Amino acid sequence: MFQQWAAALTIPGLPEWTGIAALVVLLFFGLCLLVMPFSVFGVKGRLDAIEGQLDELRAEVRALAARLHDGPIRPPPPDEAPPPPIPQAPPAARAEPK
């Protein structure tokens, strides 16, 4: 099988060993793709970004937990009294047509 692939990759007009050399080069590149670290494909950068977002979420959850532990949030007392209600005018009597 190895010889068939080497014969198929042999470049016409060149010695037979060129097919074996081409096959070795292709196998080397295939092996490099299998062994290549994932950071080359961009996975590491995405994982770092996700890790940063996760750290931010954890910090926010800690802050919310600390606020809930301190007790409920009460609105500050108003500095001014609310304005008095506006008096409503009595409804006008409806005139009947003649």
Side-chain angles (χ1 to χ4, degrees):
M1 179 148 90
F2 182 73
Q3 292 175 350
Q4 291 173 351
W5 288 351
L9 290 174
T10 301
I11 300 171
L14 294 177
E16 292 181 13
W17 60 267
T18 58
I20 295 172
L23 185 62
V24 167
V25 168
L26 288 175
L27 288 174
F28 176 74
F29 282 130
L31 182 66
C32 286
L33 286 174
L34 291 175
V35 181
M36 188 180 309
F38 290 115
S39 64
V40 174
F41 290 118
V43 175
K44 184 179 180 192
R46 285 181 274 177
L47 288 176
D48 288 341
I50 291 172
E51 185 178 356
Q53 291 175 350
L54 186 60
D55 289 340
E56 290 174 9
L57 286 174
R58 285 180 180 159
E60 189 173 335
V61 167
R62 280 190 212 112
L64 288 173
R67 287 177 63 193
L68 287 176
H69 182 64
D70 291 344
I73 300 173
R74 296 188 181 105
D79 293 339
E80 299 176 4
I86 300 173
Q88 300 254 340
R94 194 171 150 190
E96 295 292 326
K98 293 183 179 183

